[in-house]
Structure formats: structure tokens, C-alpha cells
Amino acid sequence: MKVAVVGATGLVGTVMLKVLEERNFPITELIPVASERSIGKKITFKNTDYSIVGLADAIASQPDVALFSAGGSTSLEWAPKFAEAGITVIDNSSAWRMDPDKKLVVPEINAKSLTVDDKIIANPNCSTIQLVMALSPLHDQYKINRVVVSTYQSITGTGVKAVQQLENEYSGTKGEMAYPYPIHKNAIPHCDVFQENGYTKEEMKLVNETQKILDDRTIAVTATAIRIPVVGGHSESVNLEFENEFNESEIRKLLSETGGVTVQDNPDTNTYPMPIYAEGKNDVFVGRIRRDHSRENALNMWIVSDNLRKGAATNAVQIAEYLVEEKLIG
Ligand code: 2RA
């Protein structure tokens, strides 16, 4: 399998390469792609050095699949060109997610909808992926009517500049600011840009992508997305209202039996998910599961996951693995 990684030197692209290697994805040739300034630089993958190439050269190399994490404008311009050349694109930007003709895929939930005709496949937003991984089995069993989610997001979601700003603030070094405010000792209620309706794009991604992936526009979703000085992963406080009755042990059992989800939930032993321990792992961790006694059929829980892994790179690689298994590529 010839695989292109577009954005190979970025935070997510670097993790994509790590995950491809860890999961022993059947690669015969890697085509690392990055911006003009990186062309010709070498990267090592599975003990082999590869030269970084530009987008046009990547198409000419005719990879079977291209994992994109290079921003929305690059995806909008180049994903169609790769697709026209017969290359299947799995895109981690927001460019194609809400396109009615493109599939928005979390393999454990809706990979089965993929066909050989899907040449541009959208990888959902990191905070959405971990949310729907926990919601999907519960929605199937109890029908979710409403979701209220507050996220506590790692600064790695903003990018290298924000990680550097936090490190500078720790060390008292002056440097470029990704945010107009300090990140250290702070919580910034602002992920991505504000929209006319007073919500940020990040918050509306949680609303719109959740409904699309669960294929149910009747689910009411409202979100507040907060950036905090953490690097290991995103955390989410979630309140759910179900159509039907449930019991908490059934909920825990259902989640425990869901592939890709790990329940960490025992107040007696102070057991609950935390980003510092989720970092570097591919699962979605769920805890603090407890009935919301203020509403009928309502539940609270806490969801944590490494946003660079299941929230981005691992989910994209798992889509590629599905395509290989089903002989939709290669
Ligand atoms: C964020 N969800 O965390 C986005 C990913 N870039 O900012």
C-alpha cells in the first residue's frame, strides 16, 4: 500500500506516522508531503528515510490513500485533485465534514456506510469523536434527546504555537502568542472563531457533527468549548437526557463492552479519566457516570481522550484500515 501523509511535519501528521507504524499498517511506500519550505527534508519511517515532497509530486506518485492534516484551504484545493487521480483521501480538516455528499466517519459507529465511490472521507473534529464514541451505544439503546457538553481542551488542538506559548509562560520566556491572553493559570472560553450566533466554530462542530455521525437531527446539542493549559488530551463534561429509562450499571456495562471505550469509574478509589493518563493512548475514557437527579432519564459523565490520537490520527488510520479490510483501496 502506497500511503501519502499530507501535513507530515505537523502535530497531527507526526502522530499519524507514529500510529501507522505502531499499528503496522501495510505500507510498501510512504509519501510524506509538507509545505514548500520542507520539501527535500528527510523523515524516518520504519527505519527508512523518505524525502518530503510537494502536493503535485505526491499525486504523481499515485498513492492508494492520502491522509490529510494540512488545514482546510489545502484540503479544499487539493483533496479533489487527489480524488480525481483515483486516490482516496481521508481528511482531518473541517473542509468536507458537513458536505452532504461526503461521509463523516468514526469507524466504530458508521464505517459500514463507506463504499468504493467515497474518494474524499472526512475525519470528524477531535472533540466530536470522543463525544460520539460514548454517545453512540447509549443512543442506540435509550435514544438521546438532548446533549449538554462543556469541553476542557488541550492546547495541542490549537497547534505548535500555543504549545510554545505555554512553555514560554512556564519558563518566563517572551515569545509569539497564539492567544491574546496567557494560557498558563488560565481557562479561555474560546476555541476557534466566534460566529454570528455567539457560539464558536468548535462549539458548532460539536452540534452539527454529532447529529451527522449519529444520523439523527432530532438530537438537541448545546456546547461550550474551553481551552485549558493541558497537553495530554481533551476532557468533556456531558449531560444527557434520554427518551427512555436506564439504569447506571447497564450504562456502565454498555460502555465497557464498546470497542475503543474504556470505563474508569470508581469514586471509592478516586478512579476517573484524566488527560495526563490518557495521553499517548488510543481509547476514549469514560467516568464520573451518575444519574442527573434534577431531570427524568438524565445522566452525567466525564469523557477524556488524546485529541491527537483517537481525536485525529488514530481515527484517520482506522478509517484507512477499514478501507483495506473491505478492499475499498489497494
Ligand atoms: C481544537 N478541535 O482543539 C480543534 C482541533 N484543531 O482546537
Side-chain angles (χ1 to χ4, degrees):
M1 197 73 55
K2 280 170 88 172
V3 179
V5 175
V6 179
T9 58
L11 274 182
V12 170
T14 307
V15 178
M16 281 176 169
L17 293 170
K18 212 181 285 181
V19 171
L20 284 166
E21 191 156 356
E22 277 171 12
R23 297 174 71 95
N24 204 18
F25 188 83
I27 291 187
T28 51
E29 185 185 339
L30 175 75
I31 301 151
V33 188
S35 60
E36 290 293 315
R37 67 173 181 278
S38 301
I39 291 175
K41 286 181 185 165
K42 297 269 190 246
I43 64 149
T44 305
F45 178 77
K46 295 177 92 168
N47 299 320
T48 306
D49 285 347
Y50 292 90
S51 288
I52 289 173
V53 300
L55 286 150
D57 286 346
I59 291 176
S61 305
Q62 273 300 304
D64 299 287
V65 61
L67 306 183
F68 269 58
S69 191
S73 53
T74 299
S75 292
L76 280 172
E77 181 185 354
W78 285 91
K81 291 175 181 170
F82 275 70
E84 275 146 35
I87 303 160
T88 299
V89 172
I90 299 168
D91 176 42
N92 189 52
S93 83
S94 58
W96 303 100
R97 290 176 185 156
M98 297 317 292
D99 182 317
D101 300 323
K102 300 292 185 290
K103 304 237 171 92
L104 183 61
V105 177
V106 176
E108 296 87 339
I109 299 172
N110 60 0
K112 287 187 172 45
S113 65
L114 289 169
T115 72
V116 69
D117 298 327
D118 292 305
K119 299 309 283 181
I120 298 176
I121 301 164
N123 207 42
N125 190 42
C126 40
S127 46
T128 305
I129 291 174
Q130 65 185 75
L131 178 66
V132 295
M133 280 288 290
L135 264 46
S136 180
L138 306 184
H139 184 53
D140 292 346
Q141 186 73 22
Y142 306 108
K143 167 91 181 78
I144 294 172
N145 287 334
R146 186 170 190 250
V147 183
V148 181
V149 51
S150 295
T151 71
Y152 304 83
Q153 300 191 208
S154 162
I155 47 130
T156 54
T158 313
V160 179
K161 223 165 88 173
V163 175
Q164 192 55 60
Q165 178 182 334
L166 180 59
E167 285 167 4
N168 290 342
E169 288 167 359
Y170 284 157
S171 60
T173 313
K174 277 259 167 272
E176 220 185 332
M177 302 274 279
Y179 282 93
Y181 310 111
I183 300 172
H184 184 34
K185 297 181 186 174
N186 202 4
I188 304 173
H190 181 180
C191 297
D192 209 324
V193 297
F194 278 104
Q195 301 193 139
E196 288 291 303
N197 66 359
Y199 286 80
T200 60
K201 270 191 175 175
E202 187 78 5
E203 290 158 351
M204 293 315 296
K205 288 173 189 173
L206 282 157
V207 176
N208 297 322
E209 293 179 23
T210 297
Q211 292 177 342
K212 181 169 178 178
I213 294 162
L214 298 183
D215 193 22
D216 187 339
R217 305 284 175 197
T218 69
I219 303 175
V221 185
T222 190
T224 303
I226 301 147
R227 192 73 67 189
I228 58 169
V230 153
V231 292
H234 291 349
S235 304
E236 297 176 345
S237 173
V238 181
N239 178 272
L240 301 174
E241 287 182 39
F242 297 108
E243 180 68 24
N244 304 309
E245 287 180 1
F246 66 88
N247 73 53
E248 288 160 70
S249 51
E250 213 178 70
I251 292 261
R252 277 191 189 81
K253 183 171 182 299
L254 208 47
L255 289 168
S256 304
E257 291 167 355
T258 301
V261 173
T262 297
V263 173
Q264 295 175 329
D265 191 34
N266 184 349
D268 297 340
T269 57
N270 295 335
T271 302
Y272 32 70
M274 290 176 273
I276 199 164
Y277 300 119
E279 186 173 10
K281 299 186 178 75
N282 294 314
D283 264 18
V284 170
F285 299 89
V286 184
R288 300 299 321 281
I289 300 165
R290 62 206 189 281
R291 184 177 293 278
D292 169 5
H293 296 286
S294 70
R295 310 279 298 187
E296 197 184 358
N297 299 333
L299 183 80
N300 286 312
M301 60 182 172
W302 176 250
I303 305 171
V304 177
S305 193
D306 183 330
N307 55 296
L308 296 179
R309 279 182 171 263
K310 183 56 183 173
T314 306
N315 197 72
V317 171
Q318 288 171 326
I319 293 171
E321 287 171 345
Y322 179 85
L323 296 174
V324 171
E325 280 156 27
E326 298 301 315
K327 299 184 175 38
L328 300 179
I329 57 173

Coordinates of all heavy atoms in Angstrom, one line a residue, residues 1 5 34 66 124 145 180 188 193 210 227 252 274 286 326:
M1 N 0.8 -1.2 0.0 CA 0.0 0.0 0.0 C 0.9 1.3 0.0 O 1.7 1.4 0.9 CB -0.9 0.0 1.3 CG -2.1 0.9 1.3 SD -3.4 0.3 0.2 CE -3.7 -1.3 0.9
V5 N 1.1 11.0 3.4 CA 0.6 11.8 4.6 C 0.9 13.3 4.3 O 2.0 13.7 4.2 CB 1.4 11.3 5.9 CG1 1.0 12.2 7.1 CG2 1.1 9.9 6.2
A34 N 4.6 18.0 2.7 CA 4.5 19.2 3.6 C 4.7 20.4 2.7 O 4.8 20.3 1.5 CB 5.6 19.1 4.6
A66 N -4.4 8.9 0.8 CA -3.7 10.1 1.3 C -4.4 10.5 2.6 O -5.6 10.8 2.6 CB -3.7 11.2 0.3
P124 N -13.9 13.4 11.6 CA -14.5 14.4 12.5 C -13.6 15.2 13.3 O -12.4 14.8 13.5 CB -15.5 13.6 13.3 CG -15.6 12.3 12.6 CD -14.3 12.0 11.9
N145 N -32.2 12.4 23.6 CA -33.0 13.6 23.2 C -32.1 14.9 23.2 O -32.3 15.8 22.4 CB -34.2 13.8 24.1 CG -35.3 12.7 23.8 OD1 -35.3 12.2 22.7 ND2 -36.1 12.4 24.8
P180 N -4.3 36.0 22.6 CA -4.0 37.3 23.2 C -4.0 37.3 24.7 O -3.9 38.4 25.3 CB -5.2 38.1 22.6 CG -6.3 37.2 22.4 CD -5.6 35.8 22.0
I188 N -9.6 29.6 28.8 CA -10.0 30.5 27.8 C -11.3 30.0 27.1 O -11.2 29.0 26.4 CB -8.9 30.8 26.8 CG1 -7.6 31.3 27.5 CG2 -9.3 31.8 25.7 CD1 -6.4 31.4 26.6
V193 N -13.1 30.3 16.0 CA -13.6 31.6 15.9 C -15.0 31.8 16.3 O -15.8 30.8 16.1 CB -13.4 32.2 14.4 CG1 -11.9 32.3 14.1 CG2 -14.1 31.3 13.4
T210 N -22.1 15.9 15.6 CA -22.7 14.8 16.4 C -24.0 14.3 15.7 O -24.2 13.1 15.6 CB -23.0 15.3 17.8 OG1 -21.7 15.7 18.4 CG2 -23.7 14.3 18.7
R227 N -10.5 26.3 26.4 CA -9.1 25.9 26.2 C -8.4 26.0 27.6 O -8.5 27.0 28.3 CB -8.4 26.8 25.2 CG -7.1 26.4 24.8 CD -7.1 25.2 23.9 NE -7.7 25.5 22.6 CZ -8.0 24.6 21.6 NH1 -7.8 23.3 21.9 NH2 -8.5 25.0 20.5
R252 N -22.9 1.5 32.4 CA -21.5 1.1 32.5 C -21.2 -0.1 31.7 O -20.1 -0.1 31.0 CB -21.2 0.9 34.0 CG -20.9 2.2 34.8 CD -20.3 1.9 36.2 NE -20.3 3.1 36.9 CZ -21.4 3.6 37.5 NH1 -22.5 2.9 37.5 NH2 -21.3 4.8 38.2
M274 N -8.3 11.1 33.3 CA -7.6 12.3 33.4 C -6.7 12.4 32.2 O -6.1 11.4 31.8 CB -6.8 12.5 34.7 CG -7.7 12.6 35.9 SD -6.7 12.6 37.4 CE -6.6 10.9 37.8
V286 N -14.1 7.0 29.9 CA -15.3 7.5 30.4 C -15.4 7.2 31.9 O -15.1 6.1 32.4 CB -16.6 6.9 29.7 CG1 -17.9 7.5 30.2 CG2 -16.5 7.1 28.2
E326 N -11.9 -4.0 3.8 CA -13.1 -4.2 2.9 C -12.7 -4.1 1.4 O -13.5 -4.1 0.5 CB -14.1 -3.1 3.2 CG -14.7 -3.2 4.6 CD -15.4 -4.5 4.9 OE1 -16.1 -5.0 4.0 OE2 -15.1 -5.1 6.0

